[in-house]
Amino acid sequence: TAPAPRPFGPLSYGSDGALQLSGVALAPLAAQYGSPLYVYSGAHISAQIQRLQTAFAALDPLICYAVKANMNTHVIAHVARHGVGADVVSAGELKRALAGGVAPEKIVFAGVAKQPAELEAGLAAGILQFNVESWAELEALNAAAGRQGKTAPVALRVNPDVDAQTLAKITTGTRGNKFGLPFDDIPALVRQMEALPHVRLEALAMHIGSQLLKIQPFADAYRRLADLTRHLASEQGTVLQRLDMGGGLGIPYSPEDGEGPDPADLAAAAVEHLGPLGLPTIMEP
């Protein structure tokens, strides 16, 4: 017999000793639906959304749920009912987000390997922005938008060369990673974009990794993002419409992880470095 799991997060034991999730006994659900069975706590998800919204009240960012974390359509619909948007990385995730009730103007299309058909799907849906990772992607997006007679809203994903201090395999924001555009190349790339008539630069974006348990890497990346935004405005006259902070705030997966990093501390770093710019922001938990 396997040892009973320790109560953690929304898990607890009832007076009869039965394991519960947010007060709902799990054994009867397994008996009704079969096992293995995935059970999600809508109440806990709602509480986490509220926790983020409260922590970031000063910036009031558009929160775009990273669908790659869990693309269960009922989970997507649940977060959408809270006014949350979606961060998608494929046409399949885009389709699920739209089916779940996420408004197109709250959808960000990220990812390093978007196919032409996926770019066209995002354009047809009228999403908020494409987070672009390379010049080749810009050219492909320009061509797709041209075929539809549209102008594609672009956020350039910047690699800020910041050590996320997390596992090497899920670090994405250092110079040696394949993700994002080199920080120092952005000003020249912005000028090059003028030759592409069907793309429009609206934002800068970044995402330095996943499962970050320390706030300092975020603060360092936010500072660099703010510096680059000011440089583009002062030296090139490029005025952005928003900034995308990405995601990556670590989740406590076991009692040994404690409570995990506090979103309020992350929000404080964002307010310090990005707040003075006065631009709308996006975050992608």
Side-chain angles (χ1 to χ4, degrees):
T1 302
R6 294 171 60 184
F8 181 62
L11 287 173
S12 63
Y13 289 100
S15 58
D16 58 356
L19 188 64
Q20 300 178 338
L21 181 69
S22 293
V24 177
L26 294 177
L29 295 179
Q32 179 178 355
Y33 296 105
S35 178
L37 175 68
Y38 291 93
V39 183
Y40 305 103
S41 168
H44 187 66
I45 294 171
S46 296
Q48 293 294 77
I49 293 172
Q50 181 61 53
R51 188 182 181 201
L52 282 173
Q53 291 172 334
T54 299
F56 279 85
L59 281 182
D60 190 25
L62 169 61
I63 298 176
C64 290
Y65 168 62
V67 174
K68 68 170 75 69
N70 185 333
M71 63 177 68
N72 181 296
T73 51
H74 298 283
V75 171
I76 296 171
H78 185 81
V79 300
R81 286 193 287 271
H82 290 271
V84 172
D87 161 39
V88 303
V89 296
S90 70
E93 289 186 9
L94 172 63
K95 186 175 181 179
R96 283 173 177 251
L98 293 170
V102 179
E105 62 272 17
K106 292 183 177 181
I107 296 179
V108 172
F109 203 144
V112 298
K114 308 179 192 72
Q115 297 298 306
E118 293 180 307
L119 298 175
E120 291 171 357
L123 287 163
I127 66 169
L128 176 64
Q129 69 185 37
F130 294 86
N131 288 4
V132 171
E133 307 238 357
S134 68
W135 176 256
E137 185 181 347
L138 274 173
E139 291 182 315
L141 182 57
N142 181 69
R147 288 192 291 271
Q148 293 191 18
K150 296 180 178 180
T151 301
V154 168
L156 295 178
R157 178 177 174 179
V158 180
N159 183 322
D161 194 22
V162 168
D163 182 4
Q165 300 179 38
T166 185
L167 297 175
K169 298 297 184 182
I170 51 176
T171 296
T172 62
T174 58
R175 189 181 300 274
N177 298 130
K178 67 181 180 181
F179 300 97
L181 294 151
F183 186 89
D184 294 336
D185 292 354
I186 298 299
L189 190 64
V190 170
R191 287 190 290 268
Q192 283 181 262
M193 285 182 65
E194 296 175 1
L196 302 177
H198 300 291
V199 295
R200 178 178 62 251
L201 178 63
E202 295 190 355
L204 295 178
M206 64 167 214
H207 176 67
I208 60 174
S210 300
Q211 198 55 15
L212 275 70
L213 299 176
K214 298 179 180 178
I215 299 299
Q216 190 58 49
F218 287 113
D220 294 340
Y222 294 162
R223 175 179 52 78
R224 298 212 76 195
L225 189 64
D227 289 344
L228 180 57
T229 300
R230 292 190 183 95
H231 174 84
L232 291 176
S234 63
E235 300 298 322
Q236 298 180 205
T238 302
V239 179
L240 301 173
Q241 296 186 27
R242 56 191 170 271
L243 295 172
D244 186 339
M245 299 182 280
L249 189 65
I251 296 169
Y253 281 104
S254 72
E256 288 72 22
D257 293 332
E259 295 297 321
D262 191 335
D265 294 332
L266 180 63
V271 168
E272 178 184 356
H273 297 289
L274 303 180
L277 299 172
L279 292 173
T281 55
I282 301 170
M283 66 175 305
E284 299 159 354

